[in-house]
């Protein structure tokens, strides 16, 4: 069976399941390449509006595959190009929800942080323990974590390598929502279905603006927002959404 499975749990929703249970879903090159491939394909697939990434009940992903990189040297690490695969994953134009049960550590936590929404099971544990094995969070953790939760909490997580319980992660803003462990996937599908029922162009613009705006000045980001708002008035879905409101009916969004 493939180390990454693609499922279709609901209309317009795709679910990507990391499938290396014996290795706590550690991210080896095969998993990374398949994740990047699926996200590229789904990003271009008009039938897909929202994507979920998940693992199993024990692990979302326990990080980069330590066994695969233990003997690697600098050049080999460069040639693997995992940083390029991370960029492909993060560049997906459609909303991506991480449905996290069990461990989301190292590259697993970083994978969750490339997603747009994180739903965590109440017993999930997140963290950046790379410092304990002589490296650092190299999949975006030193940058995305402080942007998400602030310097001082991020510094503590990266420098101690201590794991963070889901409830604490929620309190510090690293998790969007907590669900009972057994309900995480169901909740993610429910939320994905809700988002998928909205106008795809509006949804994608919101994702792009929130992400791009974070690294721009407020003035520049607000200008981007205004332009995007005006652009949406060229879409059929804007007309449909507002007309449906006025006519007191459910809108039929087409992504045009
Ligand atoms: N890489 C490779 N194999 C891993 C792994 C990883 N990151 N995490 C777990 N495994 C393997 C274990 O070696 C073990 O394999 P064997 O059965 O062949 O011995 C199997 O998965 C089960 O693991 P455990 O017996 O350890 O399971 P546990 O439930 O007792 O503990 C755990 C789970 C806390 C996640 C523990 O496995 C662990 O600490 N894993 C490593 C976490 C880590 O350090 N992650 C960071 C990796 S570096 C990184 O991610 C770099 C980056 O940012 C780019």
């Amino acid at each position: 069976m493939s180390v990454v499975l693609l499922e279709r749990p609901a209309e317009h929703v795709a679910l990507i399941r990391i499938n290396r249970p014996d290795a706590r879903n550690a991210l080896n090159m095969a998993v990374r390449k398949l994740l990047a491939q699926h996200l590229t394909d789904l990003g271009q697939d008009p039938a897909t509006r929202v994507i979920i990434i998940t693992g199993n009940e024990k692990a979302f992903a326990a990080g980069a595959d330590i066994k695969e990189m233990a003997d690697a040297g600098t050049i080999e690490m460069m040639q693997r190009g995992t940083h390029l695969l991370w960029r492909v994953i993060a560049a997906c134009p459609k909303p991506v929800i991480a449905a996290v049960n069990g461990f989301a550590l190292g590259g697993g936590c970083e994978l969750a942080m490339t997603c747009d929404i994180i739903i965590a099971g109440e017993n999930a544990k997140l963290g950046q323990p790379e410092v304990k094995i002589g490296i650092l969070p190299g999949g975006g953790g030193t940058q995305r974590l402080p942007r998400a939760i602030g310097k001082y909490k991020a510094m503590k997580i990266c420098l101690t390598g201590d794991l963070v319980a889901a409830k604490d992660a929620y309190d510090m803003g690293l998790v969007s929502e907590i669900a009972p462990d057994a309900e995480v996937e169901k909740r993610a599908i429910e939320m994905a279905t809700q988002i998928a029922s909205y106008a795809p162009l509006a949804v994608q613009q919101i994702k792009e603006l929130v992400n791009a705006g974070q690294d721009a000045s407020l003035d520049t980001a607000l200008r981007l927002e205004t332009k995007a708002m005006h652009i949406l008035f060229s879409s059929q879905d804007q007309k449909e959404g507002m007309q449906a409101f006025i006519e007191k009916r459910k809108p039929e969004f087409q992504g045009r």
Side-chain angles (χ1 to χ4, degrees):
M1 208 189 273
S2 174
V3 291
V4 177
L5 307 174
L6 181 60
E7 300 169 21
R8 293 279 183 182
E11 196 186 5
H12 298 311
V13 177
L15 184 147
I16 298 172
R17 188 184 301 282
I18 306 170
N19 182 40
R20 294 189 73 209
D22 294 343
R24 296 288 181 270
N25 281 344
L27 305 170
N28 62 6
M29 287 308 293
V31 170
R32 290 172 190 275
K33 284 180 185 165
L34 280 167
L35 280 175
Q37 190 59 57
H38 282 313
L39 284 162
T40 303
D41 294 346
L42 293 169
Q44 294 167 359
D45 170 25
T48 302
R49 295 186 181 177
V50 182
I51 299 156
I52 298 166
I53 301 180
T54 196
N56 56 45
E57 69 287 355
K58 286 195 177 152
F60 176 72
D65 190 315
I66 299 170
K67 293 167 189 169
E68 192 182 60
M69 64 185 176
D71 295 328
T74 302
I75 303 301
E76 194 180 339
M77 288 302 285
M78 285 169 69
Q79 286 170 341
R80 286 183 188 184
T82 55
H83 59 294
L84 301 176
L85 295 172
W86 279 123
R87 276 193 218 165
V88 172
I89 291 168
C92 180
K94 297 174 183 172
V96 184
I97 300 175
V100 176
N101 263 321
F103 296 105
L105 307 181
C109 188
E110 290 167 316
L111 176 62
M113 284 192 287
T114 65
C115 298
D116 305 301
I117 291 172
I118 302 177
I119 300 177
E122 51 202 356
N123 291 303
K125 287 197 167 38
L126 297 90
Q128 300 290 163
E130 290 91 338
V131 70
K132 295 183 176 177
I133 54 169
I135 55 168
L136 55 77
T142 65
Q143 302 310 308
R144 286 204 173 89
L145 197 56
R147 281 168 172 75
I149 63 173
K151 170 180 166 178
Y152 297 98
K153 286 173 186 150
M155 216 42 120
K156 183 181 166 198
I157 290 170
C158 292
L159 288 177
T160 65
D162 289 347
L163 305 194
V164 182
K167 169 76 171 65
D168 296 335
Y170 175 78
D171 289 343
M172 61 180 72
L174 179 53
V175 159
S176 318
E177 186 175 308
I178 306 263
D181 292 348
E183 307 266 310
V184 168
E185 208 173 296
K186 184 168 152 257
R187 178 65 190 124
I189 294 167
E190 191 177 271
M191 194 185 289
T193 303
Q194 179 186 357
I195 297 169
S197 75
Y198 302 141
L201 293 171
V203 165
Q204 289 182 35
Q205 287 295 309
I206 290 168
K207 168 167 178 166
E208 189 177 333
L209 282 167
V210 172
N211 283 333
Q214 277 189 326
D215 294 322
S217 71
L218 180 60
D219 185 56
T220 303
L222 289 172
R223 283 167 197 264
L224 283 175
E225 185 193 74
T226 303
K227 298 285 179 211
M229 176 73 169
H230 292 167
I231 286 170
L232 288 178
F233 277 77
S234 296
S235 70
Q236 290 174 19
D237 283 349
Q238 173 269 324
K239 300 289 176 278
E240 166 64 8
M242 293 193 179
Q243 201 55 41
F245 173 81
I246 292 164
E247 293 169 10
K248 299 187 189 301
R249 62 175 172 82
K250 200 169 168 290
E252 290 287 332
F253 293 121
Q254 304 294 333
R256 287 195 286 267

